[in-house]
Amino acid sequence: APVLAAAGGRGPEGGAKQVLHGGGAGANSANRWFDKTLQFIVGEDGTCGVVYDPAVIDGAVVAEMVDHALEF
């Protein structure tokens, strides 16, 4: 679900919270798999992002994959 709006509005800070940790215990944190190598996050409000473990996956490969997904 969309992250609840804070006093300062949603903005980049709310998007970052949604992608990185689901917005906290009162939002979508239970919907995050913190032990997985690669996660694609797509929120109801259009927020999207990728969280990955750079120790396991090469960043260039992930960047190409995200560019491909955004292109289509």
Side-chain angles (χ1 to χ4, degrees):
V3 173
L4 303 174
R10 191 169 159 276
E13 183 180 341
K17 287 181 181 178
Q18 171 76 309
V19 170
L20 292 177
H21 56 74
N28 295 317
S29 283
N31 192 22
R32 294 293 181 267
W33 295 81
F34 296 104
D35 62 338
K36 301 303 178 198
T37 303
L38 180 65
Q39 298 181 72
F40 289 94
I41 289 86
V42 179
E44 287 180 354
D45 61 353
T47 300
C48 61
V50 176
V51 179
Y52 70 96
D53 181 359
V56 179
I57 297 178
D58 182 23
V61 173
V62 173
E64 283 290 325
M65 191 168 43
V66 170
D67 285 344
H68 179 77
L70 290 174
E71 202 172 302
F72 293 97

